[in-house]
């Protein structure tokens, strides 16, 4: 199986990029929402999750757009969920070619030789993307938004370090680091997809 | 003028990559040897250098392959040469589309909106590339070679920080960071050229 993992700064457009790359390459796309949901279900009913895994996660509803708050169950038993997520990510990744968004998948899936991408941008650019993405009524001040961006990234960094001892966002951990400052994600996606295709040794169709 | 600057870790294959990208895009290629030589000549004979700049550096002999030791004149008057180099890099970059290798060109040419590439690799990979490149009689032990790689990179980092206050090798300074570990530079080059073409807004020929 060919695996692309994507780590990204909040507001860098990494999630949109990941979805587009998956679509361009015909890969499955997994992100936190899907895997969390499966992990939760798994705790409740193993057979059901197996069914989801077997059918492929593409049939599972995907939350499009901005991130949502952590559901209560994640706060209740983070470790259980993490363990379940790791198992599920590994199972999914062995099932079909896929793009896995976040979740330290580059660490979990290391032995499967994934192509690891990091997506980043400067703060004005991230601020702009967050503004465009947020609904009118939820708009924060610049200051609050920058605080949120930094908090989300700090949490990602911490979670990765706890899991792996490796530093999040350090270029040595990734095969390609893409700066999306001033770049349109839709026009960028084919070029990143092309690079991933090259790296993974996929022949052009 | 479209400008690509390349910063790279010693042994990462960045120089070969830069030459190939320049060739693929039909850009001029400038590196330390060329610019140092021009700067030296400039100290001696301004008109001659102007001639070289006007004719384009492609007519100037290029040292292929591994780096050579700093010539004596560079040690004698580093500041003069640095100032001259900066002037010459700026002049060359305004003359024609080009790839500029090293020399903190991303800092010098910032206002010309260059595409800034950083090339890196893990130590075993850099060691392997250095071995393949060095003639039999000049082979160092692994330990000495690693020491040399670290020294060259430390000098690059220092020179950049003195000039700009910016950290060398920190991904935020670059538009794309490419990890060449386990990657063949010749097959990589078209993909990096394609990405640069996209970023610089060059239509396909």
């Amino acid at each position: 199986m060919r695996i692309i993992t994507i780590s990204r700064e909040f507001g860098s457009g990494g999630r949109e990029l990941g979805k587009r790359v998956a679509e361009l390459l015909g890969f499955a796309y997994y992100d936190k929402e899907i895997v969390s949901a499966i992990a939760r279900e798994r705790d409740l009913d193993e057979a059901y999750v197996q069914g989801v895994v077997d059918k492929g996660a593409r049939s599972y509803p995907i939350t499009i757009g901005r991130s949502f708050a952590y559901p209560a169950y994640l706060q209740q038993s983070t470790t259980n969920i993490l363990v379940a997520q790791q198992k599920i990510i590994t199972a999914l990744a062995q099932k079909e070619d896929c793009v896995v968004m976040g979740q330290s998948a580059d660490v979990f899936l290391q032995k499967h030789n994934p192509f690891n991408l990091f997506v980043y941008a400067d703060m004005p650019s991230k601020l702009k993307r967050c503004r465009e993405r947020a609904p009118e009524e939820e708009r924060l001040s610049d200051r609050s938004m920058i605080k949120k961006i930094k908090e989300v990234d700090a949490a990602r960094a911490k979670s990765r370090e706890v899991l792996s001892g490796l530093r999040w966002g350090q270029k040595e951990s990734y095969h390609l680091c893409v700066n999306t400052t001033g770049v349109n994600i839709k026009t960028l996606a084919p070029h990143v997809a092309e690079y991933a295709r090259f790296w993974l040794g996929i022949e052009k169709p």
Side-chain angles (χ1 to χ4, degrees), chain A residues 68-111:
Chain A
F68 55 71
Y70 275 80
Y73 66 84
L74 255 186
Q75 291 159 17
Q76 284 162 17
S77 62
T78 307
T79 312
N80 283 351
I81 295 287
L82 269 178
V83 170
Q85 281 202 352
Q86 171 168 14
K87 281 186 190 160
I88 287 162
I89 289 168
T90 309
L92 290 172
Q94 284 172 312
K95 207 189 152 305
E96 57 187 333
D97 295 340
C98 60
V99 170
V100 189
M101 184 62 53
Q103 305 168 90
S104 306
D106 55 321
V107 181
F108 287 148
L109 300 173
Q110 200 166 7
K111 67 175 177 182

Side-chain angles (χ1 to χ4, degrees), chain A residues 9-79:
Chain A
E9 292 177 354
F10 188 76
S12 68
R15 174 183 269 223
E16 182 190 339
L17 182 61
K19 282 183 188 164
R20 290 188 182 278
V21 167
E23 203 175 323
L24 286 162
L25 296 176
F27 278 29
Y29 171 83
Y30 304 127
D31 71 7
K32 193 199 298 286
E33 285 78 357
I34 301 167
V35 179
S36 294
I38 298 174
R40 181 181 50 162
E41 295 301 333
R42 187 175 186 134
D43 278 348
L44 298 174
D45 178 1
E46 186 93 20
Y48 171 75
V49 178
Q50 197 56 52
V52 174
V53 171
D54 287 346
K55 279 195 302 183
R58 265 177 290 201
S59 59
Y60 214 82
I62 298 177
T63 302
I64 305 288
R66 67 207 176 77
S67 298
F68 55 71
Y70 275 80
Y73 66 84
L74 255 186
Q75 291 159 17
Q76 284 162 17
S77 62
T78 307
T79 312

